[in-house]
Amino acid sequence: MKLNEIRDNEGATKNRMRVGRGIGSGKGKTGGRGVKGQKARSGVAIKGFEGGQMPLHRRLPKRGFNNPGATDLNAVNIGRIQQAVDAGKLDVSAPVTVESLIAAGVVSKARDGVKILGVGELTAKLTFQVSRASKSAVEAIEKAGGSVTQSLATADDAVASA
């Protein structure tokens, strides 16, 4: 076999159907749309329409809401931070911030900040500059000789300062 002899198997490709090209084509006149009515016209959008009956999406009750003021924080356990310190990815002398956690690979993206949680053991003396920290995390960090500075700058604070 040569490169110029390569071709598809018989019947592997079909010619596309050209609708509305005369009655002899088999898809002429109405172009496969049937006759008359809303669906025969162009620009039909009746996805949820049920013939006048109340549509399903309107019969079902609504639940919950999306809070526009919610903050999307990265949750990081102190045990995970200790692993990064042991692996040499986090510098013990520098403060632990969102940027340093991203650089260490502990967090993938910044979001609205970081919340430190108290699961795991922390032995390194670290200074944290994060959005939030749980009580158990603050206790564990201070027990290891470190400190925590919490500052969550919200959208309301930004508007108030402007």
Side-chain angles (χ1 to χ4, degrees):
M1 177 176 272
K2 299 183 181 74
L3 282 176
N4 64 335
E5 294 172 355
I6 295 174
R7 57 180 48 195
D8 272 335
N9 293 332
E10 197 64 37
T13 57
K14 286 180 167 179
N15 294 332
R16 74 180 181 87
M17 180 62 71
R18 297 179 69 222
V19 296
R21 295 295 184 271
I23 57 172
S25 70
K27 285 277 189 246
K29 193 181 166 214
T30 54
R33 287 177 177 264
V35 286
K36 297 185 178 177
Q38 186 179 9
K39 289 185 178 179
R41 315 281 186 243
S42 65
V44 175
I46 52 173
K47 297 227 180 348
F49 186 69
E50 296 185 19
Q53 173 176 289
M54 187 60 66
L56 181 67
H57 64 87
R58 289 185 61 192
R59 289 197 304 264
L60 296 175
K62 308 290 183 277
R63 291 279 186 263
F65 79 111
N66 288 327
N67 184 0
T71 53
D72 184 24
L73 298 173
N74 287 304
V76 181
N77 286 310
I78 56 174
R80 178 71 184 91
I81 292 169
Q82 184 61 49
Q83 285 178 353
V85 170
D86 294 340
K89 292 179 180 177
L90 266 178
D91 185 18
V92 181
S93 59
V96 178
T97 60
V98 179
E99 293 79 23
S100 66
L101 290 173
I102 291 170
V106 176
V107 172
S108 59
K109 60 181 180 178
R111 293 194 178 139
D112 293 332
V114 172
K115 179 168 183 175
I116 306 298
L117 303 176
V119 178
E121 284 292 317
L122 184 70
T123 55
K125 182 180 175 182
L126 296 168
T127 307
F128 287 86
Q129 292 176 353
V130 291
S131 306
R132 292 184 187 152
S134 67
K135 286 181 183 177
S136 59
V138 171
E139 289 171 9
I141 291 164
E142 289 173 351
K143 183 181 170 188
S147 62
V148 181
T149 307
Q150 298 179 49
S151 61
L152 182 65
T154 61
D156 298 332
D157 296 338
V159 170
S161 64

